[in-house]
Amino acid sequence: MKNFFYKLVSFILSFFLLIYLWFYIELLGFGGLLIFLKKKRTNLLNISCISYVSRSIKLICFVFPCFKCLVRASVVKTIFSETESLKLIIGINKNEEKSFESHAWITFDNKIVLNNDLKTNAYKIIHTI
């Protein structure tokens, strides 16, 4: 019963934060999001729930694919903002058409836990939060 409660809370919290941060970026832009993410707060959930949050975000984004990698990673960083070993990493890369593309992912203890769907080692890291 306890696991079900944590899974449910993770799902609901992730869903509302995805919507909130999506609007936040739309209204205040990337710079506003960086300021928001750098503020230290207490963790909303225990770090042991990171797998529940990650799975919740993947499920929600499967149904609503409008949430891009930066919004997804921002949700995890917001929920676990006090955890020092959790990093939001933003990288850039040139694709085959010679245009720039960016990607954001989350690492915990130097292991990628969210947004590992691309070859992250091909990206040059430009910012870490």
Side-chain angles (χ1 to χ4, degrees):
M1 188 68 176
K2 184 177 169 183
N3 278 347
F4 176 76
F5 174 75
Y6 285 125
K7 289 177 183 179
L8 182 64
V9 169
S10 297
F11 184 84
I12 293 170
L13 186 60
S14 297
F15 181 73
F16 284 110
L17 277 172
L18 279 166
I19 294 169
Y20 176 78
L21 290 173
W22 184 76
F23 278 113
Y24 197 96
I25 290 174
E26 291 295 317
L27 294 175
L28 298 177
F30 178 70
L33 179 68
L34 289 180
I35 293 169
F36 175 79
L37 291 174
K38 288 181 181 179
K39 291 181 183 176
K40 287 288 184 190
R41 298 179 240 356
T42 59
N43 288 346
L44 299 175
L45 293 173
N46 190 313
I47 194 64
S48 64
C49 295
I50 193 164
S51 63
Y52 299 150
V53 172
S54 179
R55 280 187 260 150
S56 296
I57 291 171
K58 289 175 185 174
L59 177 64
I60 294 164
C61 292
F62 179 76
V63 176
F64 302 104
C66 62
F67 301 114
K68 302 298 180 197
C69 59
L70 180 60
V71 176
R72 287 182 258 157
S74 298
V75 168
V76 175
K77 187 63 180 173
T78 301
I79 292 173
F80 304 109
S81 65
E82 195 175 72
T83 305
E84 291 294 323
S85 59
L86 186 117
K87 305 284 184 208
L88 185 151
I89 301 171
I90 301 169
I92 59 171
N93 187 20
K94 266 191 191 175
N95 61 19
E96 291 87 28
E97 295 88 36
K98 302 290 184 198
S99 61
F100 281 104
E101 57 187 13
S102 62
H103 187 54
W105 62 95
I106 292 287
T107 62
F108 178 62
D109 290 336
N110 295 321
K111 293 179 186 136
I112 300 174
V113 294
L114 184 71
N115 293 339
N116 194 17
D117 47 341
L118 301 173
K119 296 184 180 202
T120 54
N121 50 353
Y123 286 84
K124 180 180 178 189
I125 296 172
I126 60 169
H127 198 68
T128 302
I129 303 172

